[in-house]
Amino acid sequence: MTASYPALRLRRTRASAWSRRLHAETVLTPADLIWPLFVCEGPSSGGIIEQPIASLPGVSRWSVDGIVARGREARDLGIPCIALFPYTQPERRTDDGREALNPDNLMCQAIRALKDAVPEVGVLTDVALDPYTSHGHDGLVDAAGYVVNDTTAEMLVAQALNQANAGADIIAPSDMMDGRIGMIRSALEADSHHNVQIMSYAAKYASAFYGPFRDAVGSRGLLKGDKKTYQMDNANAEEALREVAMDLAEGADTVMVKPGLPYLDIIVRVRQAFEVPVFAYQVSGEYAMIEAAVAAGAAERDVMVLETLMSFKRAGCSGVLTYHAAHAAKLLGG
């Protein structure tokens, strides 16, 4: 007698490519991507300056004209938003990070240029003091080297308003100070920036995966100590939910988990607990590991990039900040 099989064979729907596409539970498109870009000074006469970043192969700092060119590229690829991070010259870095409040700093120059050239592309701006401080911390430090919360938050409010006045679409505080979301939201409303969004780095962990980013913004080697008194302990998950709840109550429109792949469990829990748009930042160390694996012949870039990005979507992300954004968009047909 012929052995009987169950009525359902799960391999049926996987047997052909068209059927796999038809039954895909998760979809990844260029519209799910945010492209982080680094801004550097350019010649006063204009023109594009590119500064490759050794620890982020394939990623460069760009002068404002180059950032505009990347903005046009994002538009043509179907990437809806870019994120800006400045490389501040050492002579402009101070203990109090006051360059963050300069209405003509690199960030503001790039925002204005982008909104003038490609207004249909969203501009997300980082709110934190580490690109501007001489000590490399995200906030102001006291005599003991402790990052003080409330005076830092006041600086962040001024920084956020400076960026909003320049035309930023999304303000993204990455500092992890308590209470800063509510203060920034109130200030934006009072200044008639009613439609400027806040994407809070709500669950940002003190991570070993940020090294190449610090090269990109020029803060590596400046940092005294670490950031564990304000960024989250990687042992904690329930605390992440408390952080997210606080930021949503204070007026965040969306929240972010950072880093990405090592914290997929946090993404899942945040999405399930709050049912709000959740974003992940596939950070510099994650990008660098993929590129190192490719350089060593241990992996194939295209499939690895798409598989990792799909994992974020599958975990519940509305979108992903990734340095592979342009490459992924090309693969996805953007």
Side-chain angles (χ1 to χ4, degrees), residues 36-312:
L37 296 170
F38 298 102
V39 193
C40 66
E41 289 189 5
S44 57
S45 58
I48 294 176
I49 295 293
E50 179 182 3
Q51 298 175 348
I53 302 163
S55 56
L56 281 173
V59 177
S60 297
R61 305 185 196 100
W62 296 93
S63 60
V64 171
D65 287 349
I67 291 292
V68 169
R70 303 288 75 70
R72 293 193 176 101
E73 183 180 357
R75 175 198 61 197
D76 295 343
L77 289 171
I79 297 170
C81 185
I82 61 178
L84 294 176
F85 301 90
Y87 174 82
T88 303
Q89 294 290 345
E91 62 271 16
R92 293 180 181 270
R93 286 177 171 267
T94 57
D95 285 351
D96 61 3
R98 59 181 174 271
E99 178 66 11
L101 310 187
N102 177 1
D104 198 38
N105 64 24
L106 278 173
M107 182 75 88
C108 292
Q109 290 179 41
I111 295 167
R112 289 193 294 267
L114 282 166
K115 297 315 296 183
D116 181 60
V118 279
E120 61 271 42
V121 175
V123 176
L124 179 153
T125 55
D126 177 59
V127 172
L129 298 183
D130 54 318
Y132 306 97
T133 56
S134 54
H135 46 70
H137 277 292
D138 294 36
L140 307 177
V141 298
D142 63 17
Y146 184 78
V147 175
V148 293
N149 193 94
D150 296 3
T151 51
T152 292
E154 292 172 1
M155 279 283 291
L156 299 174
V157 169
Q159 182 184 14
L161 287 175
N162 190 36
Q163 295 173 356
N165 289 335
D169 298 298
I170 304 176
I171 298 297
S174 64
D175 56 284
M176 290 298 288
M177 298 298 116
D178 291 333
R180 88 280 201 212
I181 299 300
M183 294 172 65
I184 292 171
R185 184 74 271 168
S186 294
L188 290 171
E189 293 295 322
D191 211 34
S192 298
H193 293 298
H194 307 302
N195 289 328
V196 173
Q197 302 174 36
I198 297 178
M199 180 187 292
S200 171
Y201 287 62
K204 180 179 179 180
Y205 286 82
S207 173
F209 285 84
Y210 300 149
F213 175 90
R214 291 172 183 166
D215 290 335
V217 299
S219 64
R220 191 197 285 269
L222 299 178
L223 189 65
K224 304 297 189 294
D226 55 44
K227 301 189 177 186
K228 293 181 179 180
T229 66
Y230 49 102
Q231 295 178 358
M232 284 188 56
D233 187 333
N234 62 24
N236 294 355
E238 296 295 336
E239 184 183 9
L241 301 185
R242 295 176 66 192
E243 289 279 6
V244 170
M246 180 186 300
D247 288 358
L248 290 172
E250 292 179 12
D253 299 287
T254 55
V255 295
M256 185 196 298
V257 175
K258 180 182 180 182
L261 287 176
Y263 297 91
L264 288 175
D265 61 313
I266 306 300
I267 295 168
V268 171
R269 294 186 64 172
V270 169
R271 184 62 183 232
Q272 291 176 343
F274 299 100
E275 297 182 334
V276 297
V278 181
F279 289 78
Y281 198 144
Q282 188 179 37
V283 299
S284 59
E286 297 174 66
Y287 172 92
M289 286 197 305
I290 291 174
E291 291 301 312
V294 172
E300 198 277 307
R301 179 183 290 106
D302 293 358
V303 292
M304 182 172 277
V305 166
L306 294 182
E307 183 175 345
T308 54
L309 292 176
M310 186 66 79
S311 74
F312 293 118

